[in-house]
């Protein structure tokens, strides 16, 4: 087995036993990137020399007898998180040459834990999208079929983990961007509860739903990363205090059936008649495993599910239009445009710097927030959002956890949907609910399904848990993967 194919858990044992070094795993990952990334295009920046320096430092720490789950483990980071001395583009032309003066809190925490940063991964520009086709630097391809998308917006992170370019990757999820690409690429994607992980140094998209989380090869590995990056941060006022986020509500049944008494809900609205039967089969197979372990499978209803997409696509552009207002092109990015006055400068730099989807969201959001339409759109969307949250609250009175498909289908062809923004928005049908409600959710590989041309592509099963109950979610997900 090549070292880049190891899981974190496997690498940990070998590193601690001094059978391998961090530098060796790092070189194996860098080789894999060199070998495959010209085709896959998961990475926007590779910092090989820096990675070697960090790996040697980790090896020194290991030689001194230091311990730590991620000490010496190489990873890639979505290019929407600030990294000191390494450019951060958000896959946008407007930030083409931007080098942040500081690390995002999550990056700093990983550095302190001794993880080795290999580079930055591709995404839809500013994380707007579900296919990575909105990247100003070209799409990421799915390692399972290079003619298909890797999903988005964290397509680069998911593809990199699937192609063994790293042992794990950092990503962000605003409305599915960790889970959907994880489903398309057959890896584990964990979206933490809103407020569990610091957003400091994450370029803001939808500030009320943005979260940072891991994409990994196993649930165990995703948990290991979450443990390091989670926690209250002075620099992000929305991070919740430890006592709130530390719900140790795991299932402790001592009978031979580990999940005896656990109630798993299947939301009716996620299994409508037109759902691809193969998708349903894979999720029912996951439910069957839980049943064998003693869980009770129950049908529940989340009646406001159908409003998830319209609500999300009012709130997201509204917040996006406000958050993107700060990018004026003055400090960095495109080469300076000639302009006779400031207004014209903005027009030129923003006109050339933002891609079509960012512009579409700026327009939609500005409209939804404008004086005459605010009540009809933004305010109404926020009201319905509360109903969506209440749906989940009610469901969690009846069951401990929800099980759904992550996506209604497998990865589609590159270009197949790129001219149809509405079709792209509909991609998010099963993932926006947890985002709007701030709930933790995880996508775990659930098997392969046939896609239109008859080939087999991966599908993820999604677990959604009550807010801050990551521990239970992880415990249940481990049974599947
Ligand atoms: N597909 C969603 C969107 O386009 C996901 C975005 C995300 O989670 N960053 O908004």
């Amino acid at each position: 087995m090549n070292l880049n194919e190891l899981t974190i858990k496997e690498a940990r044992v070998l590193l601690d036993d001094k059978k391998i070094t961090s530098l060796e795993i790092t070189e194996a990952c860098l080789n894999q990137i060199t070998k495959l990334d010209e085709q896959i295009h998961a990475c926007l920046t590779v910092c090989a020399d820096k990675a070697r320096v960090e790996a040697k430092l980790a090896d020194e720490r290991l030689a001194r007898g230091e311990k730590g789950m991620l000490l010496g483990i190489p990873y890639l980071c979505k290019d929407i998180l600030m990294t000191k001395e390494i450019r951060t583009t958000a896959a946008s032309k407007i930030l083409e040459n931007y080098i942040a003066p500081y690390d995002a809190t999550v990056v700093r925490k990983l550095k302190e834990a001794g993880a080795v940063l290999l580079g930055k991964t591709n995404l839809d520009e500013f994380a707007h999208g579900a296919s990575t086709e909105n990247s100003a630097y070209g799409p990421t391809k799915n390692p399972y079929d290079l003619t298909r998308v890797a999903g988005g917006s964290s397509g680069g992170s998911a593809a990199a983990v699937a192609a063994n370019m790293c042992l794990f990757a950092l990503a962000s999820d605003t409305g599915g961007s960790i889970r959907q690409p994880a489903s398309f690429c057959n890896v584990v994607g964990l979206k933490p509860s809103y407020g569990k992980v610091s957003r400091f140094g994450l370029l803001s998209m939808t500030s009320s739903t943005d979260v940072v989380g891991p994409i990994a090869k196993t649930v165990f590995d995703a948990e290991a990363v979450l443990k390091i990056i989670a926690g209250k941060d002075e620099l992000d006022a929305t991070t919740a205090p430890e006592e709130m986020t530390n719900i140790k509500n795991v299932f402790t049944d001592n009978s031979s059936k580990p999940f005896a008494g656990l109630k798993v809900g299947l939301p009716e609205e996620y299994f409508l008649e037109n759902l691809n039967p193969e998708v349903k089969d894979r999720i029912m197979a996951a439910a069957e495993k839980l049943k064998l372990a003693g869980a009770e499978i129950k049908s529940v209803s989340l009646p406001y599910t159908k409003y998830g997409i319209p609500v999300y696509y009012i709130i997201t552009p509204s917040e996006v239009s406000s958050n993107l207002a700060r990018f004026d092109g003055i400090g960095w990015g495109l080469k300076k445009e000639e302009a006779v006055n400031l207004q014209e400068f903005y027009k030129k730099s923003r006109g050339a710097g933002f891609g079509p989807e960012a512009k579409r969201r700026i327009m939609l959001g500005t409209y939804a927030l404008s004086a005459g339409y605010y009540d009809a759109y933004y305010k109404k969307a926020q009201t319905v959002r509360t109903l969506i949250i209440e749906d989940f609250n009610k469901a969690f009175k009846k069951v401990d956890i929800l099980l759904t498909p992550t996506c209604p289908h497998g990865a589609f062809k590159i270009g197949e949907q790129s001219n149809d923004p509405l079709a792209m928005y509909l991609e998010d049908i099963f993932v926006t609910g947890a985002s709007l409600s701030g709930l933790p959710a995880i996508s775990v590989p659930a098997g392969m399904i046939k896609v239109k041309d008859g080939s087999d592509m991966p599908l993820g099963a999604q677990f959604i848990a009550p807010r801050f109950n990551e521990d239970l979610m992880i415990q249940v997900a481990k049974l599947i993967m």
Side-chain angles (χ1 to χ4, degrees):
M1 185 193 240
N2 297 322
L3 296 184
N4 53 302
E5 291 167 21
L6 295 171
T7 63
I8 297 176
K9 194 181 184 183
E10 291 163 347
R12 180 77 272 130
V13 176
L14 296 172
L15 283 167
D16 288 344
D17 291 350
K18 310 269 184 291
K19 298 230 166 72
I20 56 170
T21 64
S22 171
L23 188 60
E24 285 166 350
I25 318 180
T26 301
E27 292 294 358
C29 291
L30 291 170
N31 280 341
Q32 184 78 342
I33 294 173
T34 312
K35 203 164 102 193
L36 295 183
D37 209 40
E38 219 167 289
Q39 291 170 44
I40 294 179
H41 192 41
C43 302
L44 291 179
T45 304
V46 180
C47 36
D49 293 338
K50 275 188 189 308
R52 289 187 183 106
V53 172
E54 285 184 10
K56 282 181 199 156
L57 281 174
D59 282 329
E60 283 167 26
R61 285 170 68 176
L62 282 161
R64 287 197 298 268
E66 239 185 86
K67 294 265 177 273
M69 199 58 196
L70 299 184
L71 184 53
I73 304 289
Y75 79 102
L76 282 159
C77 175
K78 186 175 181 179
D79 204 18
I80 197 164
L81 285 155
M82 306 291 189
T83 44
K84 202 175 168 179
E85 295 170 2
I86 302 162
R87 72 177 186 146
T88 300
T89 67
S92 179
K93 289 281 175 205
I94 208 158
L95 288 177
E96 193 161 18
N97 308 309
Y98 177 57
I99 297 187
Y102 58 88
D103 280 326
T105 294
V106 286
V107 172
R108 176 182 57 76
K109 284 185 162 185
L110 288 176
K111 202 177 261 176
E112 285 164 9
V116 174
L117 179 60
L118 298 163
K120 309 290 290 285
T121 55
N122 199 11
L123 63 148
D124 287 295
E125 181 178 8
F126 284 104
H128 308 161
S131 68
T132 321
E133 290 168 291
N134 295 334
S135 166
Y137 305 100
T140 296
K141 301 185 183 127
N142 194 307
Y144 282 80
D145 175 348
L146 296 174
T147 66
R148 293 180 183 274
V149 301
S153 65
S154 317
S157 291
V161 173
N164 292 309
M165 293 178 188
C166 51
L167 274 61
F168 73 94
L170 276 187
S172 63
D173 190 313
T174 299
S177 280
I178 289 180
R179 292 160 284 158
Q180 185 256 24
S183 175
F184 280 12
C185 294
N186 217 22
V187 289
V188 173
L190 193 164
K191 170 200 131 38
S193 303
Y194 184 77
K196 175 101 177 168
V197 177
S198 171
R199 296 173 302 126
F200 178 74
L202 168 73
L203 282 159
S204 304
M205 177 181 166
T206 308
S207 308
S208 72
T209 67
D210 291 342
V211 255
V212 180
I215 293 185
K217 298 175 189 176
T218 64
V219 178
F220 179 96
D221 284 6
E223 180 186 23
V225 179
L226 179 67
K227 277 188 185 147
I228 303 281
I229 61 173
K232 172 93 190 134
D233 181 12
E234 293 291 301
L235 299 169
D236 176 359
T238 60
T239 48
E242 235 63 37
E243 59 273 20
M244 214 173 132
T245 64
N246 245 341
I247 303 180
K248 284 261 167 274
N249 193 6
V250 288
F251 216 75
T252 47
D253 187 279
N254 297 325
S255 73
S256 59
K257 299 206 162 190
F259 288 123
L262 178 80
K263 293 195 187 80
V264 179
L266 301 177
E268 281 163 26
E269 294 77 6
Y270 288 58
F271 294 91
L272 296 180
E273 260 163 42
N274 55 0
L275 181 67
N276 174 345
E278 271 201 304
V279 171
K280 188 172 178 194
D281 280 359
R282 295 302 161 272
I283 306 307
M284 294 322 275
E288 199 52 38
K289 281 192 195 169
L290 291 165
K291 209 168 154 190
L292 286 174
E296 184 188 338
I297 311 294
K298 290 176 75 151
S299 175
V300 291
S301 176
L302 301 170
Y304 285 94
T305 297
K306 62 173 181 286
Y307 299 111
I309 298 242
V311 165
Y312 176 83
Y313 279 102
I314 294 291
I315 291 175
T316 278
S318 300
E319 296 194 35
V320 161
S321 68
S322 157
N323 277 328
L324 292 188
R326 72 191 63 154
F327 299 102
D328 53 18
I330 290 177
W332 48 78
L334 303 172
K335 92 178 158 3
K336 295 286 165 289
E337 298 279 346
E338 300 266 323
V340 291
N341 57 33
L342 194 60
Q343 190 74 15
E344 196 194 317
F345 179 87
Y346 286 159
K347 265 196 201 160
K348 283 189 164 172
S349 61
R350 286 169 65 86
F354 287 130
E357 184 60 27
K359 285 181 188 156
R360 184 175 298 119
R361 294 188 189 210
I362 291 170
M363 296 299 286
L364 283 169
T366 307
Y367 183 79
L369 292 177
S370 58
Y373 296 99
Y374 179 90
D375 283 351
Y377 294 105
Y378 184 74
K379 200 167 158 218
K380 184 170 274 167
Q382 287 289 26
T383 310
V384 181
R385 179 185 193 168
T386 305
L387 297 171
I388 293 172
I389 297 171
E390 279 172 8
D391 263 2
F392 283 106
N393 289 342
K394 282 184 201 148
F396 287 130
K397 292 210 169 87
K398 297 187 188 128
V399 294
D400 303 295
I401 196 158
L402 298 167
L403 169 60
T404 81
T406 307
C407 307
H409 48 232
F412 44 90
K413 291 264 189 196
I414 292 175
E416 193 179 326
Q417 283 183 192
S418 42
N419 293 325
D420 186 352
L422 210 55
M424 206 61 100
Y425 295 171
L426 288 170
E427 275 303 301
D428 306 334
I429 187 122
F430 299 147
V431 280
T432 50
S435 292
L436 290 166
S437 312
L439 303 173
I442 191 169
S443 179
V444 286
M448 307 295 271
I449 52 167
K450 290 244 173 296
V451 286
K452 267 189 219 152
D453 66 2
S455 50
D456 289 322
M457 290 301 286
L459 178 85
Q462 173 177 239
F463 289 102
I464 307 173
R467 188 140 180 232
F468 297 128
N469 208 345
E470 274 80 358
D471 284 346
L472 176 70
M473 179 177 88
I474 286 166
Q475 192 187 22
V476 174
K478 276 182 183 163
L479 191 84
I480 308 297
M481 173 76 196

